[in-house]
Amino acid sequence: MTTPVPRKLRVATTSLAGCFGCHMSFLDIDEHLFELVELIEFDRSPLTDIKDVGPCDIGLIEGGVCNSENVHVLREFRRNCKTLIALGACAVTGGLPAQRNHLSLSECLREVYQFRPGVENGQIPNDPELPLPLDKVRPIHEVVRVDYFIPGCPPSGPAIWKFLTDLIAGRTPRLTGGLLHYD
Amino acid sequence: MPTTPLAAPVDLDGVLQRHQHNPTRLLQILIDAQDLAGWLPAPTLTHIAAALGIPRARVEGVAGFYSFLYTRPVGRYRVLFSDNITDRMLGNDGLMDALCRKLWVEPGKLSEDGLVSVATTSCTGLCDQGPAILVNGLAIGQLSHRRINEIAELIRQQRPLDLWPAEYFRVDDNIRRKDALLDLQMPPGDALRAAIARGRDGWLDEVRASRLRGRGGAGFATAVKWESARNAPGADKVIVCNADEGEPGTFKDRVLLNSYADLVFEGMTLAAWAIGASEGFLYLRGEYRYLRPQLEAALARRREAGLLGTAILGTPGFDFDIQIHLGAGAYVCGEESALIESLEGKRGTPRIRPPFPVVKGYLGRPTAVNNVETHAKTCLIALYGGEAFADTGTAQSTGTKLLSISGDCAAPGIYEYPFGVPITRILEDCGASDTQAVQVGGAAGICLANYEFHRHIAYEDVPTAGAFMVFDGTRDLFDVARAFVHFFAHESCGFCTPCRVGTSLLKGFMDKLADGHGARADLNDIEWLDRLLKNASHCGLGSAAPNPVIDTLQKFRPAYERRLVSLDFEPAFDLDAALAEARQLTARDDPGAHLKTHEEDAQ
């Protein structure tokens, strides 16, 4: 018999250039969380506070890619997760943070750190500890290969639940009807 | 400067009156209005909307839809380079660069003095004598660097177009092989007399016996179409001749309209006789606008000879006339229901069918839309009978077919063959050597590799509307497919999401490969998009859009694979370069201020 021994799937989650709204929506699956932890265990996630991601079955990425740290985290997820999922509008399209894409980066930074009313002798932060912003905010599939996309701002709790249970049960996830929306 | 907005739209009233303030003539009104000022400023659109009593948004919607209508200023000289793959193979990009440099203008932009704008446009139907351009809508072929220099000089001197050398505007027919149709020398009216003598039913019987199929590509039985239109309820039936020859690589209709216009108009009249129609339209693509004066003259001659008008050839109750409608640069209008929308003065968006145009077409009236060549072919049937017509060709494809041959061959031009001719024979006749592929049927057609050259031109084997582009061993079939993908992304009408977004995404992947960022994952995504476009598009043009990629991925896969820099994934942009602006703003250059583009390097 070659049936795999049932084991808990490891799941990692992170928020890049996002607002944690998708994570909040994830928590909105409410009592399903109890069923979920029977099936999975969390690796790196804001829920566990583990700092580095290890080998995982599923990675959920909220938010787009706006700076070099986002690139490193996203790559680490891709290296470690068999299945990588773009969760929510910002991960799928760049979303709200990508609104800055029609301005140049220097316009944005100068406006905030130098020319804003009340700022005197302002300077664009240049501490090496800080990640540098990319010239444009990118959806995650432009930086790494992505296996699935869950649209929505945020995707509803039931949509996330349906998606994850499909995936865990070995069905190709498919959102239809009211579960599939883009706002 | 003539490109400034019209101060008072007084001239417009003449245009509006000429078109009886008829909103279904909106596209024609906009074309004529643009002729007055070179472009369509906002006050012009507002004035037209008010005068026609239709919403401003509808006028704006139509003006924004067609490539040759401009809602922003363009130069007094508007130069559009035909950008079919055959033009690219003849070096149109180098010529465009040269012209732009000489005129100090950037492609796609208006020169600072408002004198000139230079851009590209989809295939203008001069593939047999390219590279080609349109200057203020008029076609000029056989471009060379010498001719480009001369044109730059004429523009700089602001010489009016009618004082340019006439030879520039000479368009050759390049007929290389004649058969039944092109050999026909018929005095106007003979076919009509024969058909009238047979009676309307008898004439339709002949068409049925000929088993003529539509020459526009789809190959629908002409007799079935005509019969459906004839039997459809409604007395005010319409004949439309589809001369929106937009398929890249096709130019046979150009030649028929230039030298065989009487056959085309006679064919339309024959259709009117069969169906009982009294109104006919020739929908002429904007690129062939230069043909309009001679076509109008041909129509006038026919009216004079009693071949159009009331009681044609003295037959009581046989009233029919033809008017010419101009298109304005929209490939999708070659699709018959989009063409009808355009005839009604709307955006060229394909309709949902059924109802089919034969039941509910132009203004809800039964409408038979046929290709230029189909109309011309019916003259042969009227003269010699359906049986004789069906004697040539194959079992399911009767008669002959005009092929527009271009690309890598010694003698590009028009070739007429009986259906069933093998590809090898055609290649031999046109003087092609070392041929690695032939694109039959245009961008939406089929790409044949050399192991398929034994196949035959016929609906049951290799169907075609007439385009036949030859590519020799020096060509890269990836570039060919990419040019067609660009074409479809530009020409998508935007109505349905699968085509509007799908063609743009496909273009993005093809450009990513071309730019040296290709990865195996892209090939998977391309194949996924191909399926999506094929299955989910609203009309046939969307579902045909992935054809060039599907075919070349199957038959010329190494042309794609050699462009892969990763067997997994590769971003389409340079990640480290994306940090350059931030590095400059912060004056940082520490290791943390850089990113490796490849993930392997980052580990």
Side-chain angles (χ1 to χ4, degrees):
Chain A
M1 302 301 279
T2 58
T3 313
V5 185
R7 65 164 178 87
K8 284 189 169 184
L9 298 177
R10 276 190 83 80
V11 177
T13 78
T14 190
S15 178
L16 305 176
C19 69
F20 281 92
C22 295
H23 275 82
M24 297 306 291
S25 199
F26 185 16
L27 295 179
D28 277 344
I29 66 174
D30 297 332
E31 66 271 24
H32 286 312
L33 275 172
F34 295 110
E35 294 168 57
L36 188 64
V37 291
E38 294 299 316
L39 302 167
I40 68 155
E41 55 195 2
F42 281 105
D43 192 90
R44 172 178 169 160
S45 167
L47 309 175
T48 59
D49 213 24
I50 297 171
K51 301 297 184 198
D52 286 300
V53 60
C56 282
D57 298 287
I58 298 170
L60 289 166
I61 310 282
E62 172 191 339
V65 184
C66 81
N67 63 29
S68 58
E69 195 219 0
N70 292 161
V71 175
H72 293 304
V73 172
L74 183 58
R75 282 174 163 172
E76 195 184 335
F77 266 71
R78 178 68 277 181
R79 271 200 305 279
N80 284 287
C81 302
K82 292 178 192 162
T83 303
L84 194 70
I85 301 166
L87 178 65
C90 298
V92 175
T93 69
L96 205 61
Q99 292 283 308
R100 77 159 160 92
N101 286 359
H102 66 277
L103 303 168
S104 79
L105 181 63
S106 55
E107 278 177 293
C108 290
L109 293 179
R110 291 212 168 101
E111 185 63 33
V112 170
Y113 292 106
Q114 293 181 320
F115 304 137
R116 195 171 40 158
V119 171
E120 276 175 40
N121 298 325
Q123 193 196 334
I124 295 169
N126 61 355
D127 191 313
E129 288 284 301
L130 293 172
L132 287 181
L134 299 168
D135 56 356
K136 293 211 182 326
V137 178
R138 302 278 183 167
I140 65 169
H141 72 266
E142 291 187 4
V143 179
V144 297
R145 182 168 48 76
V146 175
D147 300 302
Y148 296 102
F149 299 83
I150 310 180
C153 182
S156 69
I160 297 172
W161 174 244
K162 165 79 164 59
F163 201 95
L164 287 178
T165 46
D166 273 357
L167 203 59
I168 291 164
R171 300 184 290 265
T172 302
R174 187 170 171 80
L175 297 178
T176 53
L179 293 180
L180 185 70
H181 65 97
Y182 294 87
D183 55 356
Chain B
M1 198 170 81
T3 52
T4 48
L6 287 173
V10 275
D11 304 281
L12 282 179
D13 294 329
V15 171
L16 287 159
Q17 259 161 29
R18 200 156 65 244
H19 296 286
Q20 300 97 39
H21 288 76
N22 184 350
T24 65
R25 301 193 57 87
L26 177 58
L27 175 56
Q28 308 306 306
I29 291 170
L30 289 170
I31 291 170
D32 288 356
Q34 178 168 280
D35 285 346
L36 295 175
W39 65 293
L40 295 166
T44 301
L45 301 183
T46 307
H47 184 83
I48 290 172
L52 299 181
I54 55 175
R56 171 72 162 65
R58 206 191 125 194
V59 178
E60 179 97 37
V62 172
F65 183 82
Y66 295 92
S67 293
F68 294 166
L69 295 179
Y70 306 104
T71 52
R72 295 203 176 139
V74 287
R76 268 167 283 161
Y77 294 90
R78 296 181 308 283
V79 183
L80 293 174
F81 277 80
S82 176
D83 200 23
N84 187 24
I85 180 67
T86 53
D87 296 290
R88 291 190 184 183
M89 281 154 51
L90 293 166
N92 69 339
D93 54 341
L95 293 167
M96 186 162 99
D97 279 353
L99 184 67
C100 286
R101 269 201 314 276
K102 283 185 198 313
L103 293 170
W104 292 87
V105 62
E106 272 181 70
K109 296 205 175 136
L110 174 64
S111 67
E112 279 180 21
D113 55 1
L115 177 67
V116 61
S117 45
V118 180
T120 56
T121 188
S122 299
C123 178
T124 59
L126 259 66
C127 323
D128 54 335
Q129 45 204 299
I133 54 173
L134 294 173
V135 182
N136 292 1
L138 298 180
I140 299 179
Q142 300 182 35
L143 285 183
S144 57
H145 277 280
R146 182 174 161 187
R147 189 165 273 193
I148 282 288
N149 286 345
E150 291 166 6
I151 287 172
E153 197 50 42
L154 290 166
I155 291 175
R156 263 201 301 255
Q157 293 169 0
Q158 308 193 25
R159 186 84 58 91
L161 272 185
D162 45 11
L163 298 180
W164 288 25
E167 72 190 59
Y168 284 11
F169 302 100
R170 198 193 73 218
V171 177
D172 296 325
D173 281 350
N174 289 330
I175 295 173
R176 311 285 186 186
R177 186 181 195 281
K178 291 184 177 185
D179 210 301
L181 182 67
L182 297 180
D183 262 337
L184 181 63
Q185 289 176 351
M186 180 191 81
D190 277 13
L192 214 41
R193 274 185 206 93
I196 290 171
R198 286 191 175 98
R200 292 184 194 261
D201 289 338
W203 165 228
L204 194 50
D205 287 341
E206 287 302 325
V207 179
R208 201 177 294 112
S210 76
R211 288 182 281 130
L212 174 67
R213 296 173 67 170
R215 263 40 175 180
F220 193 78
T222 306
V224 174
K225 186 183 278 188
W226 287 9
E227 203 168 356
S228 310
R230 190 190 63 175
N231 296 339
D236 47 357
K237 299 175 164 67
V238 183
I239 302 296
V240 175
C241 178
N242 182 348
D244 191 52
E245 188 175 43
E247 192 64 54
T250 317
F251 47 88
K252 66 182 175 64
D253 295 346
R254 182 197 86 210
V255 173
L256 287 175
L257 293 168
N258 186 43
S259 299
Y260 297 82
D262 264 305
L263 291 185
V264 177
F265 291 139
E266 186 129 347
M268 290 176 71
T269 318
L270 287 168
W273 175 242
I275 292 167
S278 59
E279 199 172 2
F281 295 99
L282 176 79
Y283 188 98
L284 184 67
R285 72 185 301 223
E287 289 84 345
Y288 293 170
R289 194 179 176 165
Y290 67 93
L291 292 170
R292 185 174 188 162
Q294 69 192 67
L295 291 171
E296 295 282 9
L299 287 174
R301 273 198 310 276
R302 295 183 68 84
R303 283 184 200 112
E304 202 126 304
L307 300 172
L308 285 174
T310 47
I312 290 172
L313 289 172
T315 317
F318 185 14
D319 307 334
F320 181 68
D321 210 329
I322 297 170
Q323 48 176 305
I324 297 176
H325 257 240
L326 266 186
Y331 166 72
V332 71
C333 289
E335 196 279 345
E336 62 174 0
S337 66
L339 183 149
I340 289 170
E341 289 282 301
S342 181
L343 270 183
E344 294 179 358
K346 301 180 195 155
R347 293 164 69 88
T349 302
R351 291 179 179 173
I352 290 169
R353 297 174 298 176
F356 290 95
V358 285
V359 178
K360 248 173 113 86
Y362 176 66
L363 300 178
R365 296 153 57 183
T367 304
V369 184
N370 284 112
N371 179 259
V372 171
E373 186 184 348
T374 315
H375 279 302
K377 287 272 159 66
T378 59
C379 293
L380 290 169
I381 300 167
L383 287 173
Y384 308 120
E387 301 261 339
F389 185 89
D391 273 351
T392 45
T394 66
Q396 292 171 47
S397 317
T398 55
T400 62
K401 183 79 195 84
L402 300 193
L403 298 179
S404 319
I405 300 186
S406 61
D408 296 314
C409 62
I414 297 293
Y415 292 71
E416 183 181 14
Y417 288 103
F419 267 116
V421 61
I423 308 289
T424 41
R425 162 83 195 279
I426 302 168
L427 289 172
E428 203 170 296
D429 289 354
C430 72
S433 55
D434 185 29
T435 305
Q436 68 165 325
V438 179
Q439 182 78 19
V440 184
I446 174 173
C447 181
L448 299 175
N450 60 5
Y451 52 81
E452 299 171 282
F453 290 171
H454 62 281
R455 294 178 65 181
H456 307 269
I457 299 289
Y459 295 108
E460 54 267 54
D461 190 358
V462 182
T464 175
F468 191 99
M469 288 177 272
V470 184
F471 304 103
D472 72 16
T474 65
R475 306 297 176 184
D476 187 331
L477 268 295
F478 172 83
D479 289 334
V480 174
R482 178 163 165 260
F484 292 147
V485 167
H486 280 210
F487 166 78
F488 282 115
H490 179 257
E491 294 295 345
S492 173
C493 82
F495 173 74
C496 78
T497 309
C499 174
R500 183 186 63 248
V501 177
T503 52
S504 281
L505 287 175
L506 199 51
K507 176 176 176 231
F509 281 117
M510 296 297 274
D511 288 350
K512 184 171 184 277
L513 261 66
D515 292 344
H517 298 295
R520 178 76 70 187
D522 299 327
L523 297 189
N524 295 340
D525 282 336
I526 286 172
E527 281 168 342
W528 166 74
L529 275 172
D530 288 345
R531 282 196 299 278
L532 189 142
L533 273 162
K534 199 150 254 325
N535 297 321
S537 295
H538 171 65
C539 80
L541 303 187
S543 54
N547 286 356
V549 179
I550 292 173
D551 281 351
T552 50
L553 252 181
Q554 188 198 339
K555 299 169 188 175
F556 298 93
R557 199 176 183 89
Y560 289 75
E561 285 171 338
R562 80 166 71 108
R563 289 181 158 83
L564 305 186
V565 293
S566 159
L567 294 180
D568 182 20
F569 178 89
E570 172 82 13
F573 62 103
D574 183 336
L575 280 159
D576 192 50
L579 290 177
E581 196 175 350
R583 278 195 297 271
Q584 198 204 347
L585 287 165
T586 55
R588 280 178 56 186
D589 199 24
D590 54 283
H594 288 273
L595 275 171
K596 298 278 200 302
T597 289
H598 295 102
E599 204 183 352
E600 309 84 84
D601 307 339
Q603 283 178 310

